[in-house]
Amino acid sequence: GGAVLNIRKGLDNKDGEAYVMGTADALGTATIALPAGTFTGELSKPGYETSYFPIIVEMTQTTAYGYTVPELSDGQYRFVTSWNTSPLDIESLLFVDSSKETARSSIDSTDNTKAEMISINNSGTGTNRFFLYDYTNCTGGDVMSYAMSTANTLVTVFGPDGYITSFSVPIGHGGVIWDVCRLQNGKVTSIGDYYTVYQPDSYWTTK
């Protein structure tokens, strides 16, 4: 609790005067009245990285999720994934430094939390590949599911200098695997490809 929330009009608007402000309660939630439209939320709290997240207000969408992480040290990076649909089990997977080694979230969100995180303490000089996959439908056999692409899925990336960037899921795509981005030498590059199949299958049916 205690995080300060600044909301600005428009998407990806990180500067300028806030349209409205609020403070998160002990549970980390804030209730703020907004008109229909698009906004950018900014979360800040001493000892934590400042974070930004999109807010879209419409008749069918009245809740937005934003997350931040404690301040990071040199060489540390964190990928935070959030979504707002349940029951839906989205998993994150990082292929580390161009090797066969993988990292997964130590958090398995299957109910109300709907957020997971992968940390890497030394990104190396190779290419780190970050994916999300819809575990629910990978294991259920519906590889053309639209569930992940309609769940307001968001990936936020933090590094030693704070917030780096965020990626919103491609809307209206059938599929269960999202190739989100690459991390190399401290630089994050968007990929954004969406798949129904990506070999080997064992990666996407495992937690």
Side-chain angles (χ1 to χ4, degrees), residues 23 40 77 114-115 151 156:
T23 303
T40 299
Y77 293 86
K114 297 184 284 290
T156 306

Side-chain angles (χ1 to χ4, degrees), residues 168-185:
S168 294
V169 67
I171 301 297
H173 279 261
V176 288
I177 301 165
W178 177 20
D179 186 353
V180 182
C181 63
R182 302 289 183 268
L183 168 65
Q184 184 176 25
N185 293 325

Side-chain angles (χ1 to χ4, degrees), residues 79 93-104 118-131 183 203:
F79 298 82
L93 179 62
L94 182 69
F95 294 89
V96 180
D97 199 11
S98 299
S99 70
K100 294 184 179 181
E101 181 182 353
T102 60
R104 296 179 183 273
I118 286 181
S119 299
I120 180 169
N121 292 323
N122 183 2
S123 64
T125 57
T127 301
N128 301 275
R129 301 180 294 149
F130 183 77
F131 288 77
L183 168 65
Y203 283 127

Side-chain angles (χ1 to χ4, degrees), residues 65-135:
Y65 296 89
Y67 295 86
T68 187
V69 299
E71 292 178 347
L72 302 179
S73 302
D74 287 348
Q76 290 186 316
Y77 293 86
R78 290 187 181 174
F79 298 82
V80 179
T81 300
S82 61
W83 64 99
N84 67 2
T85 300
S86 60
L88 178 63
D89 191 356
I90 293 177
E91 298 294 324
S92 48
L93 179 62
L94 182 69
F95 294 89
V96 180
D97 199 11
S98 299
S99 70
K100 294 184 179 181
E101 181 182 353
T102 60
R104 296 179 183 273
S105 174
S106 60
I107 306 166
D108 185 21
S109 296
T110 57
D111 45 36
N112 293 327
T113 305
K114 297 184 284 290
E116 299 190 357
M117 179 178 69
I118 286 181
S119 299
I120 180 169
N121 292 323
N122 183 2
S123 64
T125 57
T127 301
N128 301 275
R129 301 180 294 149
F130 183 77
F131 288 77
L132 290 185
Y133 61 101
D134 176 354
Y135 178 80

Side-chain angles (χ1 to χ4, degrees), residues 3 6-7 27 31 33 35 61-62 70 84 92 98 105 114 117 121 130 139 145 152 156 159 166 177 191 194 200:
N6 290 323
I7 298 177
L27 298 177
T31 301
Q61 185 172 321
T62 58
N84 67 2
S92 48
S98 299
S105 174
K114 297 184 284 290
M117 179 178 69
N121 292 323
F130 183 77
T139 56
S145 171
N152 294 309
T156 306
S166 58
I177 301 165
I191 302 299
Y194 224 76

